[in-house]
Amino acid sequence: MLDHRDILETINMIEEECLDIRTITMGISLFDCRSDDEDRLCAKIYDKIMFHARDLVKTGADIEKEYGIPIIHKRVAVTPVSLICGGLSRAGVLKVARTLDRAAAELGINFIGGYSALVQKGCSNGAETLISAIPEALAGTERLCASVNVGSTKAGINMDAVARMGRVIRRCAELTADRDAVACAKLVVFANVPEDNPFMAGAFHGMGEPETVINVGVSGPGVVASAIRRAGDCDLTEIAETVKRTAFKITRVGQLVAKLASERLHVPFGIVDLSLAPTPAVGDSVAYILESVGLEKCGCPGTTAALAMLNDAVKKGGVMASSHVGGLSGAFIPVSEDAGMIAAARCGALSLEKLEAMTAVCSVGLDMIAIPGDTPESVISGIIADEIAIGVVNTKTTAVRLIPVGKAGDTVRFGGLLGEAPVMPVSRYSPAKMIARGGRIPAPLQSLKN
């Protein structure tokens, strides 16, 4: 039975503390759209997306209105395009990109994910063609998001792909230099990529997923920060318990929305991703949560320990609230999308190296980080390799979303959810010789679990 105090507390979370459902993401399989004729393939892709997702935006708006729960984004994720375009030319793969972007525009969604390739062990013809087209595809579309998985605990790290992605990111930056390299903000390089992630830019519809599915991503950094402040002068055990209880309540809201959307759209319910996903809005920040624990500034000594506690408590609270927790689920630490992270980077408390250390205990990785526009391709690849290694060795998802633009100390502004970012300095010492060796870094010993 619902307690009136819980209802009032949830209302306060929504009205005062920025609690929202960050996204309802519909996954759609495109395997039955395959065709060697690029026009036929694009027509089938467009028709299938429009048929299944035609009521997605309306349904989200109806739930938002009826229950008073803000639902910020409605999105679509599709089967990794590299798996269905093996027979296409580069021009054909670009036509698919424009088709996906057109469908997203007509549905009224802000992003569509799945322009993706899985190359942790090597490149198929389809993956090779798609990766070569990513810069032009992202530069020429508004809503399309791309991702490439270059490593896994089971396979190791494909260093040829890591080197390739350094070049791809640089090319994305060059093609959108007049727009603060915005194409790079729509491209993620992964290790151990989850196949049910509802958050962009890394969402795609995995091979083990049903024909269609609804995945929901919740948020609530402001709610957690407020709960910690209310807890007052208590020890860290009590702080962890407070975060766990708060995460439980947040996840229950996500579970409700996911079930409602699933029923109304006649699509199976997949997972709730209970990640604390920040925004540029004041108060809606993971950095502010860490500072509420007692850090003078996010990035100072103790930050990694505080983040580890936060991430663990969020997961523990979430799994008690839902039997279908998935995606990334934990704490995101993007720089440009988090007002507290932006402030910490600007004052020098937060460095790229400290962010890398923090990613060993959080849910994603080096996310939405602006680096100098003249950063060499080999250095970009080295940063990717370091982050992917953290994921592979620790059997966790890590990701890299780097934006080469401007000079160290500049600020780039994307607007909206993508926010703004100070350009962070990068070591100029080169890993070029190592990156040029290529090959694969073998899977770690912990991959042998059979």
Side-chain angles (χ1 to χ4, degrees), residues 15-369:
E15 293 184 347
E16 304 293 336
E17 298 171 351
C18 301
L19 173 62
D20 58 50
I21 300 301
R22 188 55 47 85
T23 180
I24 297 175
T25 300
M26 178 181 285
I28 301 174
S29 172
L30 299 183
F31 280 119
D32 58 356
C33 297
R34 283 175 292 189
S35 173
D36 290 335
D37 183 294
E38 61 190 46
D39 292 326
R40 177 66 175 154
L41 173 64
C42 289
K44 291 171 76 174
I45 287 173
Y46 176 83
D47 289 344
K48 186 165 188 181
I49 292 172
M50 296 305 294
F51 174 77
H52 286 290
R54 63 190 183 278
D55 294 325
L56 177 63
V57 172
K58 179 182 182 301
T59 299
D62 288 345
I63 295 171
E64 185 175 13
K65 183 178 179 181
E66 289 175 33
Y67 289 85
I69 301 170
I71 301 173
I72 308 303
H73 302 295
K74 298 84 179 175
R75 294 166 170 168
V76 169
V78 299
T79 302
V81 169
S82 66
L83 299 180
I84 62 169
C85 69
L88 298 189
S89 65
R90 188 170 180 276
V93 173
L94 287 169
K95 186 175 289 188
V96 172
R98 292 189 291 272
T99 299
L100 293 170
D101 195 57
R102 177 165 66 95
E106 295 189 19
L107 288 171
I109 61 177
N110 66 336
F111 287 126
I112 186 167
Y115 203 72
S116 306
L118 310 176
V119 297
Q120 58 268 24
K121 211 168 182 178
C123 267
S124 65
N125 290 338
E128 180 70 31
T129 304
L130 182 131
I131 290 172
S132 73
I134 283 176
E136 189 175 341
L138 295 183
T141 58
E142 293 183 14
R143 297 166 177 83
L144 184 68
C145 291
S147 60
V148 179
N149 193 75
V150 299
S152 72
T153 301
K154 196 69 178 175
I157 305 173
N158 182 347
M159 289 300 293
D160 293 321
V162 168
R164 179 75 175 275
M165 292 313 297
R167 298 192 293 271
V168 167
I169 290 170
R170 273 298 300 271
R171 184 58 179 157
C172 285
E174 291 167 1
L175 290 178
T176 54
D178 59 335
R179 292 174 278 163
D180 286 329
V182 71
C184 298
K186 300 186 292 177
L187 171 62
V188 189
V189 184
F190 273 109
N192 294 318
V193 64
E195 298 190 359
D196 54 7
N197 165 29
F199 288 102
M200 299 295 171
F204 66 83
H205 187 68
M207 290 177 286
E209 297 291 302
E211 186 71 10
T212 54
V213 71
I214 285 292
N215 297 320
V216 166
V218 300
S219 188
V223 177
V224 175
S226 295
I228 292 172
R229 286 192 292 269
R230 286 195 301 271
D233 189 17
C234 59
D235 66 19
L236 292 175
T237 303
E238 183 58 34
I239 291 291
E241 287 296 313
T242 298
V243 173
K244 187 167 66 174
R245 289 192 297 268
T246 305
F248 176 89
K249 294 170 185 174
I250 292 170
T251 306
R252 293 301 286 177
V253 175
Q255 176 94 349
L256 169 64
V257 170
K259 285 192 170 184
L260 289 169
S262 171
E263 291 168 2
R264 296 183 185 191
L265 290 165
H266 308 290
V267 171
F269 162 46
I271 58 93
V272 175
D273 186 319
L274 50 97
S275 297
L276 297 178
T279 72
V282 175
D284 201 24
S285 162
V286 170
Y288 291 159
I289 297 176
L290 301 176
E291 290 167 10
S292 297
V293 172
L295 303 175
E296 182 178 3
K297 204 71 177 176
C298 180
C300 74
T303 298
T304 304
L307 181 60
M309 177 187 68
L310 172 65
N311 210 54
D312 179 67
V314 166
K315 291 178 187 291
K316 286 175 178 174
V319 297
M320 288 297 292
S322 174
S323 297
H324 298 287
V325 170
L328 296 160
S329 289
F332 284 11
I333 53 169
V335 174
S336 82
E337 297 173 4
D338 186 308
M341 292 289 181
I342 294 169
R346 279 184 177 148
C347 75
L350 187 64
S351 66
L352 187 61
E353 291 74 20
K354 183 61 176 179
L355 274 166
E356 184 181 301
M358 292 164 65
T359 64
V361 299
C362 78
S363 292
V364 194
L366 296 173
D367 193 23
M368 286 301 290
I369 296 172

